[in-house]
Amino acid sequence: MTPAIADVRRAVREGFEAAGLQSGDLVLVACSGGADSMALAAATAFEAPRYLDGLNFAAAVIDHQMQTGSAEVAAETASKLSGLGFNQVVVRKIQVGTDGGPEAAARSARYEALDAIAEELGANAILLGHTLNDQAETVLLGLARGSGARSLNGMAVVSGNYLRPILGITREVTEAFCAESGIEFWQDPMNKDESYTRVRVRKNLLPALETELGPGIAEALARTADNLREDDELLSELALDAYKKVAKERATQIDIGVQDFKNLPLAIRHRVIALAAVVLQAPMLARVHMLAIDELVDSWHGQKPLTLPGIRVERTGETIALHTTKTLKTGAC
């Protein structure tokens, strides 16, 4: 057994443990046919029968129909998975919309399809092949967009039903795993298309940072994500507690008492507003929107209501009201 094979198998086994999987559970591996997901699939096929008294395992291959020959790639991937020991492989064609650009639309459609397949099969976890390199790219993209701590958190190993066992493994290791296991993998031409921002980060920005700052940039970015996630988890718990104390949900609005709200630290205050926006089914608010709401709290002199993405915010006396045209699901938080 080579170091690469040992590392990926160990990561998968530890992922099972982190997700709290039990004997007889079913795991669904999302596989594109690339090196990362093929390494994940092969390691799962090896480790699942050996975990406790054994796990059941299946695979899902999503055909986005965005490239010529995608059906053939999906069929070939399914065949390779069968050769690895997967008795159940679901190939699903999907239609990708246009909302948010091609990358976001494809991701949204893919996750929707994976969720549907998992429900059909009764899967306890969906395994995704994101690597340490993907994590580093995600952090850099979040930093460039100024999206705040939550975006810089990157991805978690366990997130609901999603499990990313090889998030601490580099792409070089997954490619070595495949080479040393005799597994041929598909190289998606879209991963070389520099019209996509993530590809430019992968091909140009990260190598430039390695050149200028020294090796280990991807690992450092991944560690940063882990640290920020730990902080954000605590702040999110505190914000949820604060939301329950200061916010009152009505049919089409949320009222927040100014005095109690004003006494909260800004980090908690902003998270309370973000929670309210989620309940109101509004888009994520930018920092400029948060600062505008702060003005209603800290510098109140009879300002007009704020019209923000998906909501209207106004202060009346000692109450700040966030309005929506949608009917709320009370108790959403």
Side-chain angles (χ1 to χ4, degrees):
M1 185 188 304
T2 68
I5 293 174
D7 286 348
V8 175
R9 287 180 177 176
R10 180 174 59 253
V12 167
R13 184 170 61 254
E14 291 174 351
F16 293 163
E17 295 171 353
L21 293 172
Q22 302 296 316
S23 298
D25 283 350
L26 172 65
V27 295
L28 178 69
V29 180
C31 189
S32 67
D36 301 337
S37 60
M38 288 301 295
L40 173 61
T44 298
F46 180 86
E47 290 292 339
R50 296 166 173 79
Y51 179 75
L52 299 178
D53 291 326
L55 296 175
N56 299 309
F57 56 98
V61 181
I62 307 300
D63 178 5
H64 298 79
Q65 303 187 86
M66 295 175 67
Q67 301 178 44
T68 301
S70 64
E72 288 76 9
V73 171
E76 185 177 348
T77 299
S79 177
K80 291 176 181 176
L81 290 166
S82 296
L84 289 174
F86 283 80
N87 296 321
Q88 193 167 25
V89 180
V90 178
V91 178
R92 183 69 49 89
K93 290 185 177 181
I94 61 173
Q95 295 292 331
V96 176
T98 57
D99 291 348
E103 289 177 283
R107 181 171 55 252
S108 177
R110 179 170 61 252
Y111 277 66
E112 184 177 345
L114 289 171
D115 287 340
I117 295 169
E119 184 174 357
E120 292 165 13
L121 300 182
N124 302 90
I126 301 171
L127 276 58
L128 305 175
H130 293 122
T131 65
L132 186 145
N133 301 75
D134 295 311
Q135 183 78 298
E137 294 160 11
T138 298
V139 174
L140 277 178
L141 287 168
L143 182 63
R145 292 167 180 157
S147 304
R150 177 153 297 182
S151 178
L152 297 181
N153 287 350
M155 297 172 283
V157 172
V158 181
S159 179
N161 290 333
Y162 296 111
L163 175 60
R164 299 177 177 88
I166 58 172
L167 197 57
I169 300 292
T170 65
R171 192 168 292 131
E172 291 75 17
V173 171
T174 63
E175 290 179 354
F177 178 105
C178 290
E180 293 158 7
S181 302
I183 298 173
E184 294 184 1
F185 58 87
W186 178 56
Q187 301 198 43
D188 187 348
M190 293 179 71
N191 288 334
K192 297 181 180 180
D193 185 350
E194 295 192 27
S195 64
Y196 295 104
T197 305
R198 185 175 285 272
V199 174
R200 294 196 298 275
V201 169
R202 180 179 304 156
K203 293 187 64 178
N204 303 327
L205 183 55
L206 275 170
L209 289 173
E210 293 273 357
T211 299
E212 296 299 328
L213 302 178
I217 293 298
E219 290 81 356
L221 289 168
R223 288 196 300 272
T224 297
D226 290 339
N227 290 333
L228 287 172
R229 190 180 310 109
E230 292 170 357
D231 293 346
D232 189 60
E233 286 173 356
L234 173 59
L235 289 171
S236 294
E237 289 180 9
L238 295 174
L240 180 57
D241 289 340
Y243 176 90
K244 292 175 179 177
K245 292 176 182 176
V246 304
K248 184 175 183 179
E249 297 176 1
R250 300 183 183 275
T252 59
Q253 73 185 62
I254 293 175
D255 293 338
I256 296 177
V258 171
Q259 287 305 314
D260 289 338
F261 184 65
K262 188 173 184 177
N263 293 330
L264 297 173
L266 277 178
I268 303 300
R269 219 201 263 183
H270 291 170
R271 282 170 168 79
V272 167
I273 295 298
L275 279 171
V278 170
V279 175
L280 294 168
Q281 302 175 52
M284 181 181 295
L285 299 179
R287 181 168 177 79
V288 64
H289 303 138
M290 296 292 187
L291 295 178
I293 295 173
D294 285 340
E295 288 289 312
L296 297 181
V297 178
D298 301 317
S299 302
W300 170 241
H301 47 80
Q303 297 99 312
K304 293 181 179 179
L306 303 172
T307 300
L308 304 180
I311 57 175
R312 181 169 58 87
V313 184
E314 63 179 337
R315 176 170 174 172
T316 304
E318 293 303 306
T319 301
I320 289 178
L322 293 82
H323 299 269
T324 181
T325 58
K326 302 175 182 177
T327 300
L328 304 188
K329 296 179 179 179
T330 58
C333 286

